[in-house]
Amino acid sequence: CSFLFITACIEDAPLDSLSPAGPYARTIDELFWLTFWIAVVIFFIVQGALLFSVFYFKDSPNKPEPKQIHGNNFLEILWTIIPVIILASIAVPTVRTIFDLAREPEDALKIEVIGHQWWFEYKYPDHGITTANVLVIPEDTPIRLEMWSNDVLHNYWVPKLNGKRYLVPGQKTYLNLHADNAEEFWAQCGEYCGLSHSKMRGRVLSMSESDFDAWDYLLTSTTYYLLPTTYDPQPTAYDYCYYYFYYTA
């Protein structure tokens, strides 16, 4: 049990949902902490009342039989109203957050995400680019993902940029991303999709506008035989374009 608590304290975890790196992830994080602290207050109130009742009203040989009561209108109304207020204080910001996350941002870069067993395909319809597993985006720019699955149910999740969203065969779903800075983020399929589900990972590479334009030019002006790169702990923009051999400029 103690080992589980220790693993929960890992720093710089690539799939850490408590380290938001964009406005959508921060919105979810703020809602989480609001709900968490409300739950903490309720926990201590309930546990405090329980412990008080256990020790104050504990039985002893010389105590008389406790008085039997059969209802109290004031208390029954009170403990009905209080949960309603608590649930409303959570429900209102939750519903508002859901609508805010679903709203399509203005001037967003549109990218198509297709789930396969067991990899992600990315298409940039305005740029004529198709890539796999590494999603390249410009920093501080709203991104609109249009997603579907080519086989079974998948779930696209970049925890530092937004929450999860299903990729459904024959149906389009949408997800917004926005990275504050040029950085590498890890993605993962969040829905069991077959034997190699755990290996269905991806990366999101956020880069400066100039680097993104250079990456765009590099992939649209040259024909490639694509070979996957090896992992570099400090990659540059071009490391994610793949090692390649080209034959036309």
Side-chain angles (χ1 to χ4, degrees):
C1 183
S2 59
F3 176 74
L4 295 178
F5 282 107
I6 293 174
T7 58
C9 299
I10 295 175
E11 295 183 357
D12 299 324
L15 293 174
D16 180 11
S17 61
L18 299 178
S19 301
Y24 297 112
R26 271 194 299 276
T27 299
I28 297 174
D29 188 66
E30 291 168 0
L31 179 62
F32 165 78
W33 285 111
L34 171 66
T35 306
F36 174 79
W37 287 117
I38 291 176
V40 167
V41 172
I42 294 173
F43 172 82
F44 280 105
I45 291 175
V46 172
Q47 294 302 314
L50 176 63
L51 292 174
F52 173 79
S53 300
V54 167
F55 291 103
Y56 186 80
F57 296 105
K58 68 178 180 179
D59 191 22
S60 63
N62 299 324
K63 273 197 172 182
E65 187 73 17
K67 181 181 177 181
Q68 302 298 310
I69 58 174
H70 300 282
N72 185 303
N73 291 337
F74 174 76
L75 287 178
E76 290 175 1
I77 293 173
L78 185 65
W79 65 49
T80 300
I81 292 177
I82 290 177
V84 169
I85 294 174
I86 293 172
L87 291 176
S89 65
I90 297 174
V92 171
T94 298
V95 172
R96 183 173 61 244
T97 298
I98 290 173
F99 280 97
D100 289 343
L101 295 177
R103 188 179 299 112
E104 181 176 357
E106 296 182 359
D107 302 322
L109 172 62
K110 292 180 172 56
I111 303 173
E112 298 173 352
V113 181
I114 303 98
H116 303 267
Q117 289 180 308
W118 290 270
W119 57 285
F120 294 108
E121 178 183 359
Y122 304 111
K123 292 185 177 181
Y124 299 71
D126 296 334
H127 299 259
I129 295 174
T130 299
T131 66
N133 289 334
V134 179
L135 176 64
V136 179
I137 61 175
E139 66 175 330
D140 198 25
T141 301
I143 309 297
R144 180 71 166 181
L145 302 182
E146 182 180 287
M147 309 188 297
W148 67 90
S149 173
N150 197 43
D151 36 51
V152 299
L153 197 67
H154 298 286
N155 196 314
Y156 193 70
W157 185 37
V158 189
K160 293 189 177 183
L161 298 182
N162 205 333
K164 299 179 180 180
R165 188 60 53 88
Y166 280 110
L167 281 71
V168 183
Q171 179 181 332
K172 292 182 179 180
T173 57
Y174 299 89
L175 182 69
N176 299 324
L177 300 181
H178 192 136
D180 292 332
N181 303 303
E183 192 177 342
E184 179 192 35
F185 307 99
W186 283 82
Q188 175 72 47
C189 177
E191 183 75 14
Y192 181 74
C193 55
L195 294 177
S196 294
H197 160 69
S198 63
K199 297 180 180 179
M200 189 171 175
R201 303 166 187 163
R203 279 177 280 178
V204 176
L205 179 64
S206 171
M207 57 178 63
S208 66
E209 190 71 34
S210 60
D211 279 349
F212 180 80
D213 290 340
W215 173 84
D216 182 10
Y217 175 79
L218 186 66
L219 265 68
T220 54
S221 63
T222 307
T223 303
Y224 299 92
Y225 294 108
L226 300 181
L227 298 172
T229 62
T230 55
Y231 176 69
D232 184 347
Q234 293 183 329
T236 65
Y238 294 99
D239 291 329
Y240 282 90
C241 295
Y242 304 100
Y243 292 126
Y244 59 91
F245 299 94
Y246 62 89
Y247 60 89
T248 59

